[in-house]
Amino acid sequence: MDPHLLRSYVTVARHASFSQAARELGYTQSAVSQHIAALEQDLGAPLLTRRPVAPTPAGERLLEHAGPLLLRLDAARADVVRLAAAPRHGLTLATTPTALGSAVLGALPPAGVTLRVLPRAEVPAAVATGTADLGLVDGLAAPSDPLRLTDVAPLTTHGVAEEPVSVLLPAGHPLAGRPGLRLGDLCDARWLDAPDAALPLAQLRAATGGGAFRPALRYEGTDVRTLTALTVAGHGLTLLPRAAATGVPGTVAVPLTAPRLVHRTEVLHGGSPGGAAAELVRRLLGAG
């Protein structure tokens, strides 16, 4: 399967338009049409209806495979280029917002760093494809257990920090006076669904064996301050690392006592990092 044809197909399906896909890819519309026809001939199945432009059932199945396949190709290219390239000055660090704890911030060099705050799922891909030198990801885990990351490419991970987690509640919430809270007792509470700014509800469900944790409001952003403001306004509870949850005006951070979980942060890289990236990894491992 020709990856150029596959990339054209994914772009047409995303835009639902041959002309818009041609503009993005830098081809003529006729060339894109020929790409799709060639891919359909190769696979022996129609992939798109033309009016309207939409994936067929076979095309939908191909889309499920296409993203990981193209990402792997981009990662392979970036890995080879990384080996052949001269060491770069400066450092690009892709990170989730709640991975930037005090241990990480204290290890950053004083100059030459570009921070890219991304949704969790995008951090490994940024490192794999070479748009970031290093990545920082975080999540819930049992103490000393590694995070379960999507396998996008051969990446090396190191645990750099673990800290307790707290439930963030409005100051007037009935549970605000508790010394600790059990996650299983909060399955039916009103929760904020903020997968990229807080610890994702899917991880809470997994930790309790499938509790409800129904969202009262979904926040699709990476700004932790916006998230805590939503909690203050009573739109729902959220689970955060202790440092991020403590000291927020108008809220109370109650420690999570069961199950025994921590907020874990890991650094990831491809190949053997050099220069500023290698130095930051060394500092992070020393700080952890």
Side-chain angles (χ1 to χ4, degrees):
M1 188 186 306
D2 188 326
H4 297 292
L5 305 184
L6 185 60
R7 202 176 296 276
S8 291
Y9 168 67
V10 169
T11 308
V12 172
R14 174 160 48 84
H15 287 292
S17 167
F18 281 79
S19 59
Q20 290 185 42
R23 283 194 292 271
E24 178 177 320
L25 295 168
Y27 298 134
T28 64
Q29 185 171 334
S30 174
V32 172
S33 297
Q34 291 173 20
H35 290 176
I36 303 305
L39 186 60
E40 290 178 324
Q41 183 176 4
D42 179 29
L43 295 176
L47 301 174
L48 291 168
T49 60
R50 273 26 180 204
R51 293 186 180 180
V53 177
T56 64
E60 290 283 4
R61 182 59 58 88
L62 180 58
L63 285 174
E64 294 176 10
H65 294 283
L69 284 172
L70 293 174
L71 179 57
R72 278 280 182 170
L73 287 172
D74 291 340
R77 175 186 293 274
D79 210 19
V80 172
V81 169
R82 188 185 296 117
L83 283 173
R88 295 190 301 175
H89 296 291
L91 169 69
T92 299
L93 177 64
T95 179
T96 58
T98 45
L100 292 171
S102 58
V104 171
L105 294 174
L108 293 177
V113 177
T114 299
L115 282 178
R116 296 181 59 206
V117 179
L118 298 176
R120 276 182 176 80
E122 295 181 17
V123 173
V127 177
T129 56
T131 60
D133 301 298
L134 297 174
L136 284 169
V137 291
D138 65 339
L140 280 179
S144 301
D145 276 3
L147 298 176
R148 296 179 181 179
L149 302 179
T150 303
D151 181 20
V152 298
L155 297 176
T156 301
T157 63
H158 307 277
V160 297
E162 289 185 357
E163 67 172 309
V165 292
S166 295
V167 181
L168 191 68
L169 312 99
H173 194 279
L175 300 177
R178 297 279 188 90
L181 290 170
R182 297 170 55 89
L183 195 56
D185 295 335
L186 300 171
C187 292
D188 296 323
R190 290 168 51 85
W191 284 90
L192 290 170
D193 184 13
D196 299 315
L199 297 174
L201 294 188
Q203 294 184 10
L204 275 62
R205 295 186 187 103
T208 56
F213 294 101
R214 297 183 182 88
L217 182 148
R218 182 173 174 85
Y219 171 55
E220 296 182 350
T222 58
D223 185 0
V224 177
R225 289 184 301 176
T226 299
L227 176 69
T228 57
L230 290 168
T231 300
V232 172
H235 290 293
L237 312 184
T238 190
L239 193 69
L240 287 169
R242 181 176 59 187
T246 302
V248 179
T251 67
V252 174
V254 180
L256 184 70
T257 56
R260 190 162 175 252
L261 297 170
V262 295
H263 170 252
R264 180 177 172 87
T265 301
E266 296 180 355
V267 62
L268 50 146
H269 58 80
S272 298
E279 177 61 18
L280 179 55
V281 171
R282 186 190 66 76
R283 291 183 182 180
L284 289 172
L285 295 181

